Amino acid sequence: MTAFASKIVSSSDAFATNRAEMLALVGELHTLKDRARALSERRRPRFEERGQLTPRERLIRLLDPGMPFLELYGLANFCVDTTDREKSIPGASLLAGIGFIKGVRCMICASDSGINAGAMTQRTGEKMRFCQDMALDKKLPFVHLVESAGANLLQYQVESWARGGGGFQRLAKLSAAGIPTLVVLHGPSTAGGAYFPGMSDYVIGIKGRGRASLGGAALVRAATGEISDEEELAGSEMHATKTGLVEYLAEDDAHGLLVAREVIGRLDWNKNCPRPHLKVFKEPLYDPEEIAGVVPVDYRRPYDVREVVARLVDGSEFEDFKPGYGSTLVCLQASIYGHAVGIVGNNGPIDPDGAAKGGQFFQLCDQADIPLVFLNNITGYMVGKEYEQKGMIKHGSKMIQAVSNVRVPKLTLYIGASFGAGNYGMGGYAYEPDFLFAWPNAKTGVMGGEQAALTMDQVARSGAERKGQPVDEEALAKQKERLINHFDSQADAFYTSGRLLDHGVIDPRDSRKVLGFALQTCWEARNRKLQPNSFGVGRL
Amino acid sequence: MRKFNSILVANRGEIAVRVMRTAKSLGYRTVAVYSEADAGAPHVAMADEAVLIGPAPVGQSYLDMTRILKAAEETGAEAIHPGYGFLSENAEFARACEKAGLVFIGPTSEAIDLMGNKAAAKRRMIEAGVPCVPGYEDKDQSDEAFISASEKIGFPIMVKAAAGGGGRGMRLVHAAKDLPAALSSAKSEALNAFGSDELILEKAIIEPRHVELQVFADSHGNVIHLGERDCSVQRRHQKVVEEAPCPVMTEELRGKMGAAAIEAARSIGYRGAGTVEFLLDAAGNFYFLEMNTRLQVEHPVTELVTGLDLVALQLKIANDDPLGMTQEDVRLSGHAIEVRLYAEDPAQDFLPCTGRITNWIPAEGDDVRFDAGIVEGQEISPFYDPMIAKVIAYGESREVARHRLIEALKRTVLFGLTTNRGFLIDILAKEKFADGGATTAFIGEEFTEGDLADAVPDAPSMAMAAVLQYRIERDRTLANTVFVTEGLLDWSNGGALITHYAYQAGDEKVDVAVSPQRDGSYLVAAGEAELSVEVLSQGASTALIRVDGRRHHVQFAAPSDSLLEFAESGKALRFTNLIALAASAEAGPAGGRITAPMHGTIIEVFVSEGDQVEPGTRLAVLEAMKMQHDIIAEVPGVVQLVAAVKAAQVAVDALLFEIETAAE
């Protein structure tokens, strides 16, 4: 196979402009995450005073140095806590991702207790549940570093409580599926939070800091008048000696994390998973770093998606599937870190031929058990008489049906536009891709704001015409502006990621690594043998 | 026909290996003897047969004649090579061999006896006309006799044990008033060490060179010398560096000293390999010191400049064959320098060190020779001499030999225990040594306590150590994963994960933070310094690392996730990541676990359970390597556990005490 011949000139002005604009967006992404980091870091003196580690330090101590870590939902709750983009704190006060502990791939959630003492935000529970769902699906031991003030009673919403129970239900499901769950109790976990340790298979309690009780001292006093000491009521030492809720008592955070690592190590978790037959592969001929200069941040400016693929796949080599048929849907057979994949990309809206080709390609990948990678830059399926009469609905439906029902792993990247049903056919959020990440330039929604505004403009003009009324140009202009704003403010990647409509926004230059990590995680999940039980392990 | 065809080597370590190498090459069957501590030692593996002769202590193994002779009998050995040390200069053993019908590869028992007594030897040498240091070596051992003799000799005077060696029973006395006290202490030390309190006096030659002549005599009356060795670089009368030829030697002087050495050997009817030691003063006067009736540790330098195999010559003579060469046949060419690599800690007053050799890769190179008796994984026990290897370099000139030796020492990978390697390199690099001007006063004059202290690691060393620790643990982890490709290492989509290490640098605890960068390099913050670290290549124990543009060739070993042994240019540093240790140490009774610093015997225990202790309280005394070490409390608290038992043997790192610190 010969490598793709790139037409990109990395010394061109266009490349420089693209790169500058893309890196500016990447910079924005870092700025947002740094906002949460800095806010949490402000509490460092308090942590140090108490002999604790900061939440980020805990996460690093827990992880194997140098092993990859795939952060999940890093922007969760962005623009949910406040609509002010300049003030909103992303992350939902929970650090989460897939990382390695003693060589074991694990799902890790850690309370970011530097922010409001780890109190739940509107999206914290959902972020946790989604991570638990992924842990179950990907057979990842679930490790939770707990230090949370619990729910903010002033922001109580009934659905948060109702849905929140799912976090504990999932712990039971994980345990029953044969996937161990582990809690390090770094600080308080009161009321509902007490079920995090309660429902986990292994609990490591930090002496003097880790606490679990159904009611804290304040609530107990309010409820019964009893005056109690927090340590007697909830302390790790009490649980280690009296209730048996704590399996391992640790001196401090650092010690607790070392114990956690040992406990995970002792699972000998990798014994029940065969090793893959690793293939020899070449790094891409074209540096993945160049991606930033290859792609215009404005999705309306066309480019050949193969230029992106050439910077993602081994040796920059791929096989073009039916390049002369339905050519705007680009279907490529390639490999990533030696792992065979079918890649679908867009060089324009999908026409009926493209949809048919896509549906067939998905089924072929499914037949050969080859994971699918969807590179979304899709404004939608073609509209218009010609396309309708050629069966756009029928062919598009077949494609969406195939996406829905393929059995192979689906990895989706929003690399530009992802609008309307095009998003559905290209493995969008609702099609439950195994992993879904967005580039910071991505725009998603039912349609673009401009398009929505023009559509409504047309509707208004037709209505006025029908009624024989004059067109109120001023009102229409206002409506147009409002609509563009209404659509576009919900379309950008940071906003959608804040609503957990993807697993996170990534630096486009990391795409090969993200896909590689995701592929390997899926492979491991599908090859790992579990030993399920009926009810989960009870702490008897 | 040869008198014998199988040789039992009654020794261990490098010399046993050295002797067997020649013996095997000449077609002899070799028999090793070994103690329980040496079961895995190279000399055992190398021999055709090996016999266990007893437990580790030398008195019950390598010094036990009965067991050695029994081993010879059982294996049908026909000759015994004693090596050096142990029984090599024991006349009784030589006689016992003869009695048992075994060929003792060495001189006659009479020669050993004679040269073993310094006083008697000196009297014989004076008779033979060999120049001797003015002194007193009479049977009259009264203080009065010594005092009157000292007046004739003149101060300064050296008091020596007549039966001694190795510096024990030796006193330098500058004035008459100090003599009685020196005599009495030297007597008791001599009695303890050698079983005889006979003393001799010698005029002390200040800052002399130690120059010795290698002689060989066969049983046909041929005596030749193989030139000299300069062994002036000594520490407490123990040789550290030896070379041939002596840097200030002239043909004329060599002729004179050689003739004296030959006469010394001839006058006592000597047979075999021997070394006649002289002191050489600045004016070119030389004085007989003693004669060693065995193969010397430093014989390789002579081999390299003469091209002869000294062990082969010994075997030839033991077979009663003539030497087959005359003095005129001996040609000296080039220069050879040897250093003795010891398991000892120069920063702790050269305290012998024990431990397991985790990595041992001698640096191969042109004209560099390693005489070693160690293998990776071997435990260096406290029972034997701490010399683990000799490194010898040859060169057409002294400068070439010196630089080859320095490079060989730098490139040799050796981890697991503390050694004097850095000290040896420092010696070789000193201007005074380079100029050939080192006398026996060299080490005392050139090295201050500060020079010998542990080096405080600098920021680049700490940065490299942290990056290596990081990568070693990373790669160990990678091997345990199911499916992670290397391209994903050092990466997170959530931004760099910064791993922290904490190292002790002198009195300071330094935080070192490793942050992997997109380009594959590491940004390392070490205290106040920020450095860019690139690992250009990394093998199992060596790496090439660029730090802020400067390339470093370094060596490393990581026996555990918390410990990194590190060496650059032969200078060893030990980095313990206090972060990895913190928790486990705190898990116990708050840093109060006291363990044995080395193998040894507990000879005293001072505290009981329940006792209150303060930092500095003596808890016990551990005797190891003939030295006593105080076991000291480092934290205040109450003794919770006393595991140390008087008179019990303890292994390194064995728990001795637990102290629970007072609650905060």
Side-chain angles (χ1 to χ4, degrees), chain A residues 271-293:
Chain A
K271 69 181 180 297
N272 281 336
C273 193
R275 272 19 182 209
H277 300 287
L278 292 176
K279 290 194 206 86
V280 177
F281 62 88
K282 287 180 276 187
E283 285 296 317
L285 187 63
Y286 303 104
D287 192 345
E289 288 284 312
E290 288 182 354
I291 284 181

Side-chain angles (χ1 to χ4, degrees), chain A residues 449 452-454 456-457 460-461 471-487:
Chain A
L454 287 174
M456 285 310 290
D457 187 84
R461 282 176 200 283
V471 173
D472 182 348
E473 289 295 339
E474 200 181 323
L476 263 187
K478 271 191 185 156
Q479 175 190 285
K480 184 179 171 190
E481 197 192 317
R482 205 168 57 240
L483 266 173
I484 289 177
N485 192 37
H486 182 60
F487 272 72

Side-chain angles (χ1 to χ4, degrees), chain A residues 32-323:
Chain A
L32 289 180
K33 289 196 196 168
D34 285 346
R35 194 183 289 167
R37 187 190 304 267
L39 181 62
S40 182
E41 192 64 15
R42 270 171 35 192
R43 302 293 291 174
R44 173 178 287 276
R46 281 292 286 153
F47 285 109
E48 287 180 349
E49 212 172 276
R50 299 189 297 219
Q52 290 181 298
L53 297 171
T54 66
R56 279 164 184 78
E57 285 174 342
R58 288 175 191 159
L59 180 64
I60 288 173
R61 293 276 183 100
L62 179 67
L63 293 169
D64 293 324
M67 295 302 289
F69 178 72
L70 188 71
E71 183 192 66
L72 297 172
Y73 304 111
L75 293 182
N77 210 43
F78 179 64
C79 285
V80 175
D81 56 344
T82 160
T83 51
D84 186 346
R85 298 173 73 100
E86 300 307 314
K87 293 218 169 73
S88 178
I89 306 297
S93 301
L94 189 70
L95 309 174
I98 301 173
F100 290 84
I101 302 170
K102 293 267 175 179
V104 175
R105 198 183 290 266
C106 293
M107 176 64 74
I108 298 146
C109 287
S111 312
D112 192 353
S113 45
I115 300 174
N116 294 327
M120 309 272 278
T121 69
Q122 291 97 307
R123 298 284 178 164
T124 307
E126 192 179 10
K127 176 169 175 175
M128 165 96 62
R129 293 193 296 277
F130 284 5
C131 288
Q132 290 170 323
D133 288 341
M134 189 182 283
L136 185 64
D137 189 47
K138 299 293 178 279
K139 304 177 186 170
L140 306 171
F142 184 77
V143 179
H144 190 183
L145 309 184
V146 178
E147 180 173 42
S148 171
N152 186 338
L153 296 182
L154 299 174
Q155 289 175 0
Y156 168 74
Q157 285 177 316
V158 68
E159 61 266 36
S160 295
W161 158 77
R163 290 178 186 142
F168 314 121
Q169 180 252 14
R170 281 164 175 81
L171 287 173
K173 293 290 183 193
L174 283 163
S175 183
I179 299 169
T181 57
L182 182 149
V183 154
V184 182
L185 206 50
H186 288 279
S189 64
T190 312
Y195 290 99
F196 284 128
M199 308 269 318
S200 291
D201 294 329
Y202 300 91
V203 176
I204 294 152
I206 308 298
K207 250 191 210 173
R209 303 255 39 115
R211 282 171 197 158
S213 62
L214 293 183
L219 185 143
V220 169
R221 190 166 186 188
T224 69
E226 182 187 70
I227 297 175
S228 51
D229 172 71
E230 287 285 6
E231 279 298 305
E232 288 170 13
L233 198 62
S236 292
E237 273 187 279
M238 188 279 286
H239 282 304
T241 53
K242 291 198 160 59
T243 67
L245 179 69
V246 164
E247 274 75 33
Y248 312 90
L249 189 61
E251 293 296 313
D252 56 18
D253 282 0
H255 183 213
L257 294 164
L258 252 128
V259 174
R261 288 176 54 77
E262 289 303 318
V263 172
I264 295 290
R266 297 283 175 204
L267 296 174
D268 199 7
W269 187 244
N270 288 339
K271 69 181 180 297
N272 281 336
C273 193
R275 272 19 182 209
H277 300 287
L278 292 176
K279 290 194 206 86
V280 177
F281 62 88
K282 287 180 276 187
E283 285 296 317
L285 187 63
Y286 303 104
D287 192 345
E289 288 284 312
E290 288 182 354
I291 284 181
V294 166
V295 179
V297 298
D298 182 351
Y299 64 84
R300 285 166 297 199
R301 302 225 314 270
Y303 64 93
D304 186 354
V305 73
R306 291 178 187 83
E307 295 284 0
V308 174
V309 175
R311 285 156 183 84
L312 293 178
V313 302
D314 298 343
S316 300
E317 296 169 343
F318 46 75
E319 213 58 55
D320 220 332
F321 178 80
K322 286 189 178 181

Side-chain angles (χ1 to χ4, degrees), chain A residues 60-61 64-71 100 103 105 251-252 255 261 270 274-276 278 289 507 509-510 513 520 524, chain B residues 470 473-474 477-478 480-485 487-494 497-499 501 518 579-580 583 586-587:
Chain A
I60 288 173
R61 293 276 183 100
D64 293 324
M67 295 302 289
F69 178 72
L70 188 71
E71 183 192 66
F100 290 84
R105 198 183 290 266
E251 293 296 313
D252 56 18
H255 183 213
R261 288 176 54 77
N270 288 339
R275 272 19 182 209
L278 292 176
E289 288 284 312
D507 183 333
R509 296 171 296 172
D510 281 345
K513 288 180 171 161
Q520 291 161 16
E524 220 175 289
Chain B
Y470 170 92
E473 191 177 353
R474 180 196 74 183
T477 305
L478 182 62
N480 291 329
T481 56
V482 170
F483 193 0
V484 179
T485 40
L488 298 179
L489 297 177
D490 292 352
W491 169 80
S492 163
N493 64 323
L497 297 173
I498 300 171
T499 307
Y501 296 84
R518 288 191 79 85
I579 286 178
E586 282 159 18

Side-chain angles (χ1 to χ4, degrees), chain B residues 209-211 228-233 241-251 253-254 280 334-337 398-399 402 432-439:
Chain B
R209 283 172 184 274
H210 175 114
V211 178
E228 78 288 354
R229 294 184 287 260
D230 186 325
C231 314
S232 299
V233 178
V241 182
E242 300 108 339
E243 61 184 306
C246 164
V248 296
M249 188 53 65
T250 62
E251 273 304 320
L253 182 58
R254 181 178 293 128
L280 176 66
H335 203 100
I337 308 177
R398 186 171 184 269
E399 270 304 87
R402 187 173 72 89
K432 180 126 187 179
F433 182 83
D435 292 345
T439 69

Side-chain angles (χ1 to χ4, degrees), chain A residues 435-511:
Chain A
F435 287 93
L436 168 57
F437 287 94
W439 288 3
N441 58 310
K443 304 281 183 211
T444 57
V446 66
M447 63 186 81
E450 183 88 22
Q451 199 191 347
L454 287 174
T455 305
M456 285 310 290
D457 187 84
Q458 201 51 55
V459 170
R461 282 176 200 283
S462 306
E465 204 178 315
R466 213 167 44 240
K467 292 173 192 160
Q469 288 170 351
V471 173
D472 182 348
E473 289 295 339
E474 200 181 323
L476 263 187
K478 271 191 185 156
Q479 175 190 285
K480 184 179 171 190
E481 197 192 317
R482 205 168 57 240
L483 266 173
I484 289 177
N485 192 37
H486 182 60
F487 272 72
D488 286 355
S489 68
Q490 296 188 51
D492 91 87
F494 300 147
Y495 181 92
T496 50
S497 204
R499 284 172 152 65
L500 284 77
L501 298 177
D502 56 37
H503 291 123
V505 179
I506 59 167
D507 183 333
R509 296 171 296 172
D510 281 345
S511 299

